[in-house]
Amino acid sequence: MLPTIEYSLSYAPPLGAERDALSALCHTPDARWHERMDHAEFVVTALHEGTRVGLGIVHTSVTAPTQVERPLELGGMFVHPAYRRLGIRQHMADARLTYALSMGGTPITVIDNRNEASWSYYERSSKWTPEQEYTGWFTGLPMTIWVATESSWYRTRMGMDPLVPAQPNVVLPPAQPLVLGPDQGNAVSA
Ligand SMILES: CC(C)(COP(=O)(O)OP(=O)(O)OC[C@H]1O[C@@H](n2cnc3c(N)ncnc32)[C@H](O)[C@@H]1OP(=O)(O)O)[C@@H](O)C(=O)NCCC(=O)NCCS
């Protein structure tokens, strides 16, 4: 039977014990990870029976050489290996995109060209299109910036009328405090 996954939303950078628990999900919570977390405006956390099993954020710490206006980067995506291919990323990615569009920014995401799991997802989605390829600062390998096709920046460039952005948080429920089980204060370790 498929696990029942719940999603928690937050609109502020995770701090303290919550930051630690989310970092425990990730393989390499390095300085760049924390920089993105420090600039998080939206955090979606996937939970299975109160334990954190997935994470995605929207942040403003953009280092990729994007040309878009008011970029809001969708990043920090991670799903615990035991919970992959269940549609969790799909759900969290949709929530991030809805939030970023509702804020009137231009949603972008940066994908390492070698990341098959991400590339295949963005390539087949009509909601995303490549903006440009560049060489990663640290890796020296090809990276691609993808931009949301529903963004005003993209639609205007394509000669289409911009969509009226929703008011912030209208389309999303308010943040709920995490309710964790007695021994589930931490994420499932990756
Ligand atoms: C990438 C990642 C977030 C995907 O999470 P997920 O919850 O398993 O993804 P979903 O179940 O929502 O997958 C949706 C679709 O993406 C594609 N996809 C997902 N994983 C894939 C893989 N390993 N190979 C090829 N396609 C993949 C499939 O089309 C999938 O649909 P399907 O299962 O019906 O075929 C997860 O593999 C992960 O955490 N990887 C390590 C960290 C990482 O790479 N993060 C992204 C950085 S940009």
Side-chain angles (χ1 to χ4, degrees), residues 77-79 84-87 89-90 115 117-118 120 124:
M77 179 64 79
F78 196 91
V79 175
R84 290 181 186 167
R85 303 306 285 262
L86 299 175
R89 182 262 303 278
Q90 172 90 48
N115 190 332
S118 289
S120 62
R124 77 175 188 184

Side-chain angles (χ1 to χ4, degrees), residues 33-79:
W33 163 269
H34 287 291
E35 192 174 56
R36 287 181 293 178
M37 289 293 217
D38 287 342
H39 293 85
E41 295 193 345
F42 176 80
V43 181
V44 52
T45 307
L47 300 147
H48 179 221
E49 296 177 349
T51 298
R52 298 165 186 81
V53 297
L55 166 73
I57 70 173
V58 177
H59 67 87
T60 55
S61 177
V62 179
T63 58
T66 179
Q67 301 298 311
V68 311
E69 291 159 9
R70 296 188 58 203
L72 280 175
E73 185 169 335
L74 282 54
M77 179 64 79
F78 196 91
V79 175

Side-chain angles (χ1 to χ4, degrees), residues 119-142:
W119 191 269
S120 62
Y121 172 78
Y122 284 93
E123 192 174 39
R124 77 175 188 184
S125 173
S126 62
K127 294 185 174 183
W128 294 95
T129 193
E131 182 213 348
Q132 59 170 293
E133 190 174 286
Y134 73 102
T135 302
W137 311 125
F138 301 114
T139 61
L141 294 166

